[in-house]
Amino acid sequence: MATTVTSTKTAEKRETSSGRGSKFPGPNGKGPKGNGNGGGRRGPRRGLSPEAYRVTMWMVIAAIVMMFAALSSAYIILSFDGERRRVTMPPMFFLSTGIIILSSFTIETAKRSLKRENESRYRGWTIATLVLGLFFLAAQVMGWRELAAQGVYFASHPHSTFFYFFTGVHGVHLLGGIAGLSYLAIRGQRKGKVGKVMPKETSAGLMSLYWHTMDALWIWLFLLLLILK
Amino acid sequence: MGRVLAVIIWILTLGSVSLFFVKKWWFPQAISAHAAALDRQFVLTIIVVGIAFTAAQVGLGYVVWKYRDRGPNDRAVYTHGSNRLEVVWTVVTAVIFISLAVMGQSVWASLHFNKAPVGAYQVEVVAQQFQWNFHYAGKDGIFGRTDPNLIDDSATNYIGLDSTDPNAKDDMTHTVIAIPEGRPVELILRSRDVIHNFWVPQLRFKQDLVPGMNIRVHFTANRPGKYELACAELCGQFHYRMRSFMLVLPTAEHEALMALPQDQFQARITELLAKYQLPAYQQ
Amino acid sequence: MSSETHEAVHRHEAPTSFIRKYIFSLDHKVIGIQYIILALTAVVVGVTMSVLMRLNLSWPGTSWSILGTLFPTGAPGGIMNPEFYLSLVTMHGTIMVFFVLTTAPQGGFGNYFLPIQIGAEDMAFPFLNMMSFWVTFVGFIVILAAIFVEGNTTIATSALGVWLGGGSGSTVGPIGGWTGYAPLSAVGVAAGPGQGAGMNLWIVSIAIFCIGSLLGALNFITTLLNMRTRGMTLMRMPLTCWAWFTTAVLALLSFPVLLGGGILLLLDRTVGTSFFIPGGLVFGSSVLNTHTGGSPILWQHLFWFFGHPEVYIAILPGMGATSHILSTFARKPVFGYRAMVFAIFAIGLLGFFVWGHHMFISGMSPYSAMTFSILTLSIGVPSAVKTFNWLGTLWGARIRFTTPMLFAIGFVSLFVAGGITGLVLGQTSLDLPMHDTYFVPAHFHLVMGVASIFGMFAAIYFWFPKMFGRFMSERLGKFHFWLTFVGVYCIFVPMHTMGMVGMPRRYANFGEYRFLDSIHPLVIFVSIAAIITALVQLVFYFNLIWSVFKGKKAGDNPWEATTLEWNTTSPPPHDNFAGVLPVVYRGPYEFAVPGAPNDYVMQTEPDASTAGEGVGGNGHNGHKH
């Protein structure tokens, strides 16, 4: 069993802890035999491919969706109580819905700009999305004021509570998205395709995935509140 | 080592199974109409369970006894399994389990899928920390209105009966439940504070009492006597002594009881509690 | 030099400082050990509480002077108050389910061995991994704090205690049971003692735990899907990896629901919302006017939607370890590897559709109850298939009775014993007499509290030589096994009968009811068995600690096993494989291969007929029995 060093890619990644590379002169050294590499997506063996990060982001989204699914079922169940009052949908929430839909377009534009290698436009549209996100949150808070004005408070009937609660929990998650956008906008100043941890295209893709999810989630919550109010 | 392990597994199996066989500790004698079917289903299930348990443990003991390592020249059988076996034992297990599942629904369906039969005797149950309250409709058969705001424990109005309601005039309340023998009984279950659970072991029946809900259940008791009533859902620190009694009375005796005026009702219940003894339990 | 995208160098340098090496470490092996130590600590707390519970049930009214000294309000004169007892019940359940059964099997052994078994240098996100442990640790501190805030009158009535929710000083935590049903858990101190600060801290602790678990789940899934070494296809992974993967998916999808429910409950308790509190409740003589419209059953749905997958989270890693260890010491491939993988998936998937079997008599629709019941008995099928395959693995084997093997065999025996009574409880009709009696704890302790733990014991004895380069004492290990195996049968089988007689759960005292008089001898028997079994675990702890320093030295592959962890040193180097990632040529359980010189062929072996010859053959390090 001759020991051949593996491909150069893996050889480079071996940094300081090498020097013991010959400890296991067993079959490891064999060159690529093209066998059983059925794992599918595979970049260089020591790094995480962009797909890997995308999978992780989908996992994060799955967890977030499960929590909102639980809260949505709670809302649906509690809406069938005859004792509750009718709530009028605050007009501000219509506005905020429009804002967030718009922001999905801006972040999509940002991502496409990056694909077309237009870094400054990418930054610009990212910042635009961030600003829209902030406006969204502001509109939500104004919506709360409108709720209070019609006598609907947080600790009223649970059906009413959800108008505040859904916007609040969604807003917290959106803040996470805003933090991410800020990070990208700042880091985006650095030239080149490669970010600190992953390629810029990857991070832009992940960010837009998260942001679109926040958008879709808000649309769901908004419709749920609208239909069952 | 393998032999010792096999023997110990078999002894433990024998011990476990005999605990059930001996029937020294078993359900108390049943007093309800659905109990016979329920007990039959239980015995059937336990037999299936017992056979599966014993077979698996005997099998496990057998393989660890027989297939111990006998030395370096001895190799195990190289096999990755058998698809046919997988299909066979999956199908057999599925058939047995699903059959049990379907059979196990019939008593449940008979109790819960139908409303109480017409003419059922109704009692309203209001549980609280840590006491049972039973509300009897009296001669008019209509329950008086209750309101939580009228609850006054110090005045023994535990269920908040509205004395201004004409239907409440002949209502009676007590911490003991008295039901007629051989006649369907409908309980309307409510709670004042937290979740409780109405349970008389001999009845083979229990149900949560959930605050904010009026839950209706029905059953028929067919053996007169006095039975202990326990709470079967954690309700606070005195959950363990939320104790009362269920009296199952012959029809005539029950009618006579319910016809009594309120001032004699309490005393009569006390008499009946002394008259009927708790069942003799195995010792 | 690869000039295109510079891939993530998630690999980290070997740390040098003590803090970076052992405290805030990014190394999955250190983090795994940290989780195991957390579980080993938590289980001591949990077992102590259960022994106290047994003492109270068996000899009620006895004065235990230590209790009286430590908890003068909760156990005045050394005699336990009923609320004190109930808080022990609650904390025992919570600590065991979360901080023992959801940490060691997954976060402990999974963290340590998943990367190595798939041929990776570390988890995908080492920083997140470290965070998941420390977040879980904080959760543990918070639940311990509940003991002190509720158990000490000075703390409970101090400014901090009052801000946290107040307390009576007469319990060691909340008293809602680990299930915390509303409205008992939702209305606060109005419902009695043990509903103050302890309950708030309980919810907060569990919420923190949820987050730690979610971080862990992300890591496991990403790592397994993306970082397998060359040749390690999904169907060549050890069954332990499949189990950890499925467990992580269950955790990912179920913990967020608990988190949501927990937040709602905390809001009900602290800011006056009414998610779980209907209107018109009366406590003592005051009507609770501030709440209306809530549904207590909603809490149960949210809790059990999480709670049922949770119990599969607790058992699946143990099943994976059992399959792995049985095969290794039977010197025979796992029988029906593919079926085992499907069974793991089936259990995981079905586990999401059966939560209502905890709620048959809750007041939910009886038609839903029936549906849940039929689905519940269906989940017995993949579990039975796994049992048949374990027996099939042992059939025709050449069994080496090492301590890990004994525990793995014990797992099979106990899993059958516990699982089989699920067929009783899962039927709606039979749940009518059985709900909330001791039949239920008999069932779940046998599967969770014993089978799962046996899976962990098997894993510890099996992997200890790899983790520390030394064996645990076989003699002490076998002593531990025999007494524990017999002991747990003695503890939990009688509980079935107690349940049939009618012994209700969560009763601080059985003296009030005549129908319970007959079971007293059983209660005493169980307690004596429990105390002896608990004491025997001290032998295990001694063995564990002593062996780290003085155990007989072990080589790289002392058990003559086949999977990738046995290809590297004991303990493995910082990057697991000393810079040379293994290449995989075959499946994980190639024992007794015809034509191979040894009775095992490692996964990295390209040619079975020459396996083990020359360098790398570890037959000499074998540890035969």
Side-chain angles (χ1 to χ4, degrees):
Chain A
M1 293 187 292
T3 59
T4 23
V5 179
T6 49
S7 66
T8 45
K9 275 194 192 149
T10 40
E12 284 127 30
K13 301 293 184 190
R14 237 173 286 144
E15 292 170 11
T16 52
S17 65
S18 64
R20 302 194 321 237
S22 59
K23 182 152 196 181
F24 293 102
N28 296 350
K30 281 254 155 78
K33 268 170 113 180
N35 59 338
N37 200 359
R41 322 149 232 126
R42 190 168 297 290
R45 277 162 48 191
R46 299 279 172 102
L48 276 191
S49 62
E51 283 106 33
Y53 287 108
R54 270 188 100 77
V55 165
T56 310
M57 181 53 81
W58 277 112
M59 299 287 125
V60 171
I61 290 172
I64 294 176
V65 164
M66 284 309 288
M67 186 171 85
F68 277 97
L71 296 175
S72 302
S73 346
Y75 175 67
I76 292 171
I77 291 177
L78 293 174
S79 295
F80 285 104
D81 179 27
E83 302 259 324
R84 60 148 171 117
R85 62 179 294 158
R86 226 184 124 70
V87 178
T88 314
M89 179 65 82
M92 267 296 158
F93 285 170
F94 287 93
L95 178 64
S96 62
T97 307
I99 294 176
I100 201 171
I101 293 176
L102 191 61
S103 71
S104 265
F105 283 105
T106 54
I107 201 174
E108 212 29 54
T109 314
K111 199 174 83 170
R112 286 183 194 183
S113 303
L114 189 63
K115 232 194 206 119
R116 279 182 255 109
E117 318 251 334
N118 198 328
E119 294 242 0
S120 56
R121 284 199 128 186
Y122 161 65
R123 273 195 73 227
W125 285 106
T126 303
I127 294 176
T129 312
L130 193 155
V131 167
L132 283 176
L134 289 170
F135 275 133
F136 171 83
L137 289 176
Q140 301 288 71
V141 173
M142 305 279 278
W144 286 355
R145 291 248 174 91
E146 288 176 341
L147 282 171
Q150 52 168 301
V152 174
Y153 300 103
F154 187 66
S156 313
H157 189 281
H159 171 264
S160 314
T161 310
F162 273 103
F163 280 80
Y164 291 92
F165 190 60
F166 275 151
T167 44
V169 178
H170 175 265
V172 164
H173 285 84
L174 195 90
L175 267 174
I178 289 182
L181 285 171
S182 316
Y183 179 81
L184 285 186
I186 295 172
R187 281 285 171 193
Q189 282 172 340
R190 184 203 282 190
K191 287 278 173 273
K193 298 195 81 173
V194 181
K196 191 165 182 229
V197 174
M198 63 181 86
K200 274 189 186 173
E201 264 188 50
T202 310
S203 51
L206 294 178
M207 191 65 241
S208 81
L209 186 55
Y210 184 83
W211 195 263
H212 290 317
T213 307
M214 288 298 116
D215 184 0
L217 205 50
W218 172 250
I219 293 173
W220 158 257
L221 292 173
F222 177 72
L223 288 175
L224 194 61
L225 289 170
L226 191 63
I227 294 173
L228 282 178
K229 65 175 163 46
Chain B
M1 175 76 51
R3 274 176 288 216
V4 177
L5 183 56
V7 168
I8 301 261
I9 289 177
W10 291 336
I11 292 177
L12 291 169
T13 304
L14 193 61
S16 307
V17 169
S18 36
L19 204 52
F20 285 79
F21 242 64
V22 166
K23 277 209 174 187
K24 179 169 158 63
W25 292 282
W26 200 257
F27 295 116
Q29 186 180 41
I31 62 167
S32 61
H34 67 269
L38 194 150
D39 285 0
R40 265 198 308 273
Q41 178 66 14
F42 181 81
V43 168
L44 172 67
T45 306
I46 277 290
I47 290 176
V48 171
V49 162
I51 292 175
F53 172 72
T54 310
Q57 307 288 353
V58 165
L60 185 62
Y62 174 75
V63 291
V64 303
W65 176 306
K66 180 155 183 214
Y67 295 110
R68 53 192 191 280
D69 189 13
R70 285 163 217 270
N73 297 323
D74 201 28
R75 292 263 179 108
V77 174
Y78 181 73
T79 171
H80 281 280
S82 154
N83 278 339
R84 181 141 58 99
L85 261 183
E86 300 289 349
V87 171
V88 167
W89 61 41
T90 306
V91 169
V92 170
T93 312
V95 166
I96 296 177
F97 286 13
I98 305 282
S99 306
L100 268 182
V102 170
M103 290 170 70
Q105 306 307 316
S106 58
V107 173
W108 176 265
S110 72
L111 290 171
H112 286 293
F113 286 3
N114 312 304
K115 289 212 208 325
V118 177
Y121 181 74
Q122 291 183 323
V123 181
E124 197 182 50
V125 185
V126 181
Q128 70 180 88
Q129 285 179 324
F130 297 95
Q131 173 177 304
W132 295 98
N133 302 299
F134 299 99
H135 180 194
Y136 301 93
K139 278 203 273 290
D140 63 356
I142 304 176
F143 289 103
R145 191 180 149 274
T146 57
D147 184 335
N149 290 299
L150 297 173
I151 289 179
D152 186 353
D153 286 358
S154 54
T156 68
N157 188 357
Y158 297 107
I159 66 171
L161 196 58
D162 182 1
S163 49
T164 64
D165 180 5
N167 292 319
K169 294 270 185 284
D170 62 347
D171 287 14
M172 289 168 297
T173 61
H174 202 286
T175 56
V176 168
I177 179 172
I179 57 172
E181 167 200 2
R183 180 177 162 196
V185 169
E186 183 180 35
L187 299 182
I188 303 158
L189 300 169
R190 293 167 40 205
S191 168
R192 259 173 56 160
D193 38 33
V194 298
I195 299 180
H196 300 269
N197 186 301
F198 176 92
W199 185 46
V200 175
Q202 287 86 348
L203 220 43
R204 302 289 194 275
F205 182 85
K206 57 166 66 84
Q207 175 61 45
D208 274 1
L209 285 75
V210 182
M213 292 176 75
N214 283 8
I215 299 176
R216 289 172 181 256
V217 295
H218 60 92
F219 55 82
T220 306
N222 51 24
R223 201 184 204 90
K226 177 172 86 173
Y227 308 99
E228 290 168 294
L229 165 65
C231 179
E233 195 68 56
L234 177 59
C235 57
Q237 79 266 44
F238 297 120
H239 170 59
Y240 74 98
R241 56 172 165 86
M242 198 167 142
R243 179 182 190 238
S244 185
F245 297 97
M246 183 172 82
L247 282 168
V248 179
L249 304 172
T251 320
E253 200 168 24
H254 187 264
E255 278 176 12
L257 168 66
M258 292 305 160
L260 288 175
Q262 278 150 325
D263 49 347
Q264 294 177 32
F265 182 76
Q266 307 274 352
R268 181 70 184 133
I269 296 244
T270 315
E271 274 172 32
L272 287 168
L273 286 174
K275 172 183 170 191
Y276 286 98
Q277 296 304 308
L278 289 177
Y281 295 111
Q282 310 114 314
Q283 279 304 323
Chain C
M1 179 80 188
S2 49
S3 57
E4 359 89 350
T5 51
H6 176 65
E7 289 301 340
V9 180
H10 70 282
R11 247 190 69 221
H12 41 90
E13 303 301 323
T16 42
S17 73
F18 180 85
I19 294 220
R20 289 252 116 207
K21 263 169 114 170
Y22 299 114
I23 314 280
F24 293 110
S25 167
L26 298 170
D27 184 346
H28 69 100
K29 299 186 286 297
V30 174
I31 295 172
I33 293 182
Q34 288 175 325
Y35 267 106
I36 294 173
I37 295 178
L38 174 65
L40 287 174
T41 312
V43 80
V44 170
V45 178
V47 168
T48 307
M49 290 181 165
S50 66
V51 169
L52 288 175
M53 285 156 58
R54 295 302 324 165
L55 291 179
N56 179 57
L57 290 177
S58 310
W59 298 284
T62 312
S63 165
W64 308 97
S65 43
I66 303 180
L67 270 189
T69 324
L70 286 173
F71 301 104
T73 324
I79 301 179
M80 234 187 254
N81 275 338
E83 60 265 29
F84 188 89
Y85 174 82
L86 288 174
S87 66
L88 288 173
V89 170
T90 306
M91 298 296 273
H92 165 83
T94 309
I95 290 176
M96 292 302 216
V97 172
F98 289 106
F99 294 98
V100 180
L101 293 176
T102 314
T103 50
Q106 183 82 352
F109 291 102
N111 244 321
Y112 198 114
F113 285 101
L114 175 71
I116 304 180
Q117 285 194 332
I118 63 171
E121 289 177 337
D122 203 311
M123 285 283 201
F125 307 114
F127 182 75
L128 266 189
N129 206 11
M130 179 181 80
M131 289 307 295
S132 76
F133 171 73
W134 285 108
V135 167
T136 308
F137 180 79
V138 168
F140 187 58
I141 298 296
V142 174
I143 197 89
L144 289 181
I147 298 178
F148 293 100
V149 171
E150 286 270 10
N152 185 302
T153 332
T154 321
I155 301 180
T157 48
S158 69
L160 175 67
V162 169
W163 179 77
L164 285 172
S168 54
S170 65
T171 66
V172 283
I175 70 163
W178 89 284
T179 49
Y181 279 13
L184 180 62
S185 60
V187 295
V189 290
Q195 298 298 340
M199 185 61 92
N200 289 336
L201 288 173
W202 182 83
I203 299 173
V204 169
S205 161
I206 288 175
I208 295 175
F209 187 90
C210 287
I211 296 177
S213 274
L214 287 171
L215 295 178
L218 290 176
N219 239 330
F220 274 73
I221 297 171
T222 310
T223 305
L224 186 138
L225 289 179
N226 289 286
M227 294 181 68
R228 282 165 288 123
T229 189
R230 181 128 41 97
M232 180 59 82
T233 62
L234 287 175
M235 291 311 257
R236 282 182 182 167
M237 288 199 308
L239 284 172
T240 38
C241 298
W242 280 112
W244 287 319
F245 175 68
T246 310
T247 304
V249 173
L250 290 179
L252 184 79
L253 299 177
S254 64
F255 272 103
V257 177
L258 180 66
L259 184 59
I263 294 175
L264 296 184
L265 187 62
L266 196 58
L267 289 176
D268 270 9
R269 294 178 54 79
T270 50
V271 298
T273 53
S274 309
F275 297 107
F276 308 118
I277 308 174
L281 296 187
V282 177
F283 286 94
S285 27
S286 46
V287 183
L288 218 57
N289 282 317
T290 45
H291 296 274
T292 182
S295 163
I297 301 188
L298 175 62
W299 166 258
Q300 294 179 47
H301 278 296
L302 291 173
F303 180 84
W304 286 117
F305 185 87
F306 150 78
H308 200 79
E310 163 66 12
V311 312
Y312 293 112
I313 290 172
I315 194 88
L316 280 174
M319 289 178 159
T322 296
S323 300
H324 194 85
I325 294 170
L326 280 181
S327 168
T328 304
F329 293 105
R331 313 309 292 167
K332 191 170 169 273
V334 164
F335 194 93
Y337 174 91
R338 222 168 245 271
M340 288 299 233
V341 173
F342 285 133
I344 291 178
F345 279 163
I347 291 173
L349 181 67
L350 280 172
F352 275 104
F353 297 109
V354 298
W355 81 91
H357 67 234
H358 301 268
M359 296 167 59
F360 287 146
I361 50 77
S362 64
M364 94 176 159
S365 150
Y367 297 96
S368 311
M370 180 175 80
T371 316
F372 279 120
S373 174
I374 300 186
L375 284 166
T376 301
L377 264 76
S378 316
I379 214 176
V381 178
S383 306
V385 166
K386 289 192 86 69
T387 308
F388 295 136
N389 280 300
W390 286 321
L391 291 174
T393 306
L394 291 173
W395 175 87
R398 293 294 174 265
I399 301 175
R400 298 180 179 174
F401 290 99
T402 59
T403 305
M405 184 56 161
L406 290 172
F407 275 103
I409 295 172
F411 176 98
V412 178
S413 174
L414 290 161
F415 176 72
V416 169
I420 210 89
T421 48
L423 290 178
V424 175
L425 291 168
Q427 295 178 48
T428 43
S429 310
L430 299 186
D431 193 55
L432 283 173
M434 294 314 197
H435 172 84
D436 220 66
T437 63
Y438 262 64
F439 201 92
V440 180
H443 165 73
F444 69 67
H445 274 95
L446 275 173
V447 268
M448 279 210 297
V450 183
S452 194
I453 294 291
F454 267 54
M456 285 309 98
F457 282 141
I460 291 182
Y461 285 100
F462 182 64
W463 275 316
F464 189 93
K466 176 55 56 181
M467 293 161 76
F468 299 106
R470 291 176 187 270
F471 288 100
M472 287 179 74
S473 155
E474 276 291 309
R475 200 181 304 152
L476 290 180
K478 290 188 161 99
F479 176 79
H480 175 218
F481 167 74
W482 289 115
L483 272 112
T484 308
F485 186 54
V486 174
V488 295
Y489 261 101
C490 291
I491 298 172
F492 294 110
V493 171
M495 285 194 186
H496 295 93
T497 353
M498 292 182 199
M500 287 164 60
V501 169
M503 194 148 140
R505 290 177 73 177
R506 298 160 170 176
Y507 267 37
N509 186 306
F510 294 107
E512 301 285 323
Y513 290 89
R514 304 283 65 75
F515 75 87
L516 295 176
D517 287 342
S518 65
I519 46 154
H520 211 70
L522 280 179
V523 173
I524 308 257
F525 176 79
V526 165
S527 298
I528 296 179
I531 293 169
I532 296 176
T533 311
L535 288 173
V536 166
Q537 306 314 304
L538 292 172
V539 170
F540 167 72
Y541 276 86
F542 171 76
N543 192 358
L544 194 64
I545 298 171
W546 183 87
S547 302
V548 172
F549 302 105
K550 301 275 200 195
K552 180 166 111 182
K553 282 222 193 282
D556 298 344
N557 191 0
W559 305 121
E560 296 187 318
T562 56
T563 45
L564 294 184
E565 72 267 35
W566 306 105
N567 251 359
T568 185
T569 55
S570 304
H574 174 67
D575 68 345
N576 295 339
F577 295 104
V580 182
L581 290 182
V583 176
V584 169
Y585 293 91
R586 62 191 67 246
Y589 302 112
E590 293 299 296
F591 294 98
V593 179
N598 291 328
D599 72 342
Y600 68 103
V601 180
M602 301 190 76
Q603 283 196 275
T604 48
E605 189 57 64
D607 184 352
S609 59
T610 57
E613 287 171 4
V615 187
N618 288 325
H620 316 296
N621 289 350
H623 194 96
K624 275 196 140 64
H625 281 261

